[in-house]
Amino acid sequence: AQSVAQPEDQVNVAEGNPLTVKCTYSVSGNPYLFWYVQYPNRGLQFLLKYITGDNLVKGSYGFEAEFNKSQTSFHLKKPSALVSDSALYFCAVRDVTGGGNKLTFGTGTQLKVEL
Amino acid sequence: DAGVIQSPRHEVTEMGQEVTLRCKPISGHNSLFWYRQTMMRGLELLIYFNNNVPIDDSGMPEDRFSAKMPNASFSTLKIQPSEPRDSAVYFCASRPTRPGELFFGEGSRLTVL
């Protein structure tokens, strides 16, 4: 089965500093990878996706992610963090096991940006 | 675009009662997903539909859970009878035809006492 792993439950960063939220994947075939953000008491919001093409994917709110095939990683990055970026971040992979087409999510990483 | 609409946003009920959660997907989207989110288990896919047909219900916990999609604009998730361990936030999401991202509703927070 396809899966993603988010090794950090929480990431703390100071406002203005760069941030990285890590994700590694395990898939058979070409990976379709996604990042979502969830603010308290809200649904998940799509940030960006990698399907094919450039390894550096740009998304919403100044976020970007780098696809690295050799390291099977898809880390989320932002050059300068804002307090308002504090939220729960999920990595996801398209899972076509059994002929289906669904998204399997990681366990989530809580990002805390402090002044 | 109104987005995915879920109701109720909050539901508090007593053990043994029937619970029905409702979802209206984005118009034109042909796939619909029900997820459950808890602190212990994270985000779990319960069931999903393509063109109103259930494709994968392997995540449905047990026979107390059932889901229907009678038409392209409406789906329900029913729990009967409900138990305290069903307490969670239930999300509905829809996806257009292309194999891309999901669009999530705001969720229904269920508390079973």
Side-chain angles (χ1 to χ4, degrees):
Chain A
Q2 328 284 54
S3 65
V4 289
Q6 295 182 243
E8 301 157 317
D9 289 337
Q10 182 161 323
V11 170
N12 298 321
V13 64
E15 188 175 51
N17 283 0
L19 69 87
T20 299
V21 182
K22 296 179 180 177
C23 173
T24 58
Y25 65 88
S26 174
V27 303
S28 55
N30 295 322
Y32 285 24
L33 298 162
F34 304 79
W35 275 103
Y36 283 79
V37 60
Q38 184 181 28
Y39 297 99
N41 300 313
R42 303 294 302 276
L44 279 72
Q45 296 179 32
F46 169 75
L47 280 178
L48 52 82
K49 65 184 176 186
Y50 172 83
I51 304 294
T52 186
D54 290 340
N55 289 342
L56 186 63
V57 180
K58 294 189 182 298
S60 307
Y61 312 121
F63 283 93
E64 58 189 27
E66 186 172 8
F67 173 71
N68 188 316
K69 188 173 182 178
S70 63
Q71 298 185 5
T72 62
S73 67
F74 188 57
H75 300 334
L76 182 70
K77 300 182 179 185
K78 188 174 183 182
S80 179
L82 299 172
V83 172
S84 57
D85 293 330
S86 298
L88 185 58
Y89 290 80
F90 289 96
C91 182
V93 63
R94 186 181 75 152
D95 187 343
V96 294
T97 304
N101 189 354
K102 58 191 180 186
L103 286 191
T104 296
F105 287 84
T107 51
T109 298
Q110 186 71 46
L111 173 66
K112 188 173 183 181
V113 182
E114 299 168 310
L115 291 171
Chain B
D1 192 337
V4 176
I5 299 173
Q6 292 188 245
S7 64
R9 289 294 314 277
H10 301 274
E11 173 96 4
V12 180
T13 191
E14 293 187 347
M15 183 173 63
Q17 296 299 304
E18 177 179 296
V19 173
T20 299
L21 307 178
R22 298 172 177 81
C23 176
K24 177 179 169 55
I26 294 173
S27 178
H29 286 193
N30 73 331
S31 296
L32 183 140
F33 301 76
W34 283 101
Y35 283 87
R36 178 171 69 176
Q37 185 178 32
T38 61
M39 290 291 292
M40 292 296 294
R41 301 172 70 94
L43 267 171
E44 304 172 275
L45 177 65
L46 300 177
I47 186 171
Y48 79 97
F49 298 82
N50 272 355
N51 297 317
N52 313 337
V53 176
I55 301 299
D56 183 351
D57 65 355
S58 60
M60 295 286 262
E62 48 198 272
D63 291 345
R64 298 185 298 107
F65 285 69
S66 63
K68 294 182 179 179
M69 192 165 186
N71 56 61
S73 59
F74 184 66
S75 177
T76 60
L77 178 68
K78 186 174 293 187
I79 308 172
Q80 166 62 19
S82 58
E83 297 182 2
R85 61 191 167 124
D86 302 330
S87 297
V89 181
Y90 291 81
F91 288 104
C92 176
S94 68
R95 182 179 65 199
T97 304
R98 71 183 191 281
E101 64 270 24
L102 305 186
F103 295 78
F104 281 79
E106 297 286 50
S108 294
R109 181 177 295 277
L110 173 64
T111 302
V112 183
L113 302 175

